[in-house]
């Protein structure tokens, strides 16, 4: 009898609750410090960071949230001039 193949890492189920908790922690901090705007873009950015870090094996929600916050703050610091002088464009997605 053939041995069933183990799922590839990208096929393994992701505990959504941990990811949601991480994102909620990050967004709460960013809202409270006034850094969460525009909300939809900030949430998407943080979600991408959390997912990327998850793929490296990190699983603690506070650690994941902290990485998202730090990445956002670094990105905004590096691109502050463009952010301050370019209008926020609505995404093409509905």
């Amino acid at each position: 009898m053939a041995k069933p193949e183990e799922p590839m890492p990208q096929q393994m189920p992701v505990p959504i609750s941990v990811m949601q908790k991480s994102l909620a922690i990050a967004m709460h901090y960013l809202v409270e410090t006034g850094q969460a705007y525009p909300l939809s873009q900030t949430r998407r950015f943080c979600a991408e960071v959390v997912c990327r870090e998850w793929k490296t094996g990190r699983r603690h929600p506070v650690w994941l949230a902290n990485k998202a916050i730090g990445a956002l703050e670094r990105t905004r610091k590096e691109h502050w001039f463009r952010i301050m002088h370019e209008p926020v464009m609505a995404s093409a997605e509905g």
Side-chain angles (χ1 to χ4, degrees):
M1 180 177 267
K3 194 172 158 183
E5 291 185 37
E6 290 189 29
M8 297 295 290
Q10 64 270 21
Q11 296 172 333
M12 297 177 92
V14 176
I16 299 299
S17 61
V18 173
M19 309 264 306
Q20 287 175 335
K21 185 174 185 178
S22 302
L23 190 54
I25 293 167
M27 290 304 295
H28 177 75
Y29 172 82
L30 294 168
V31 167
E32 291 297 317
T33 59
Q35 302 179 71
Y37 305 98
L39 280 171
S40 62
Q41 292 172 349
T42 301
R43 186 172 177 84
R44 170 174 256 155
F45 180 90
C46 290
E48 289 172 359
V49 173
V50 168
C51 287
R52 184 176 62 237
E53 292 299 323
W54 181 273
K55 290 177 184 177
T56 68
R58 301 295 184 162
R59 299 294 185 260
H60 196 280
V62 174
W63 194 93
L64 293 167
N66 192 49
K67 289 300 274 190
I69 293 165
L72 181 75
E73 290 175 341
R74 279 189 305 280
T75 299
R76 287 195 171 155
K77 186 175 184 179
E78 292 168 5
H79 302 287
W80 69 269
F81 185 83
R82 183 180 58 78
I83 291 168
M84 294 299 292
H85 297 285
E86 289 182 7
V88 175
M89 305 302 283
S91 69
E93 298 174 9

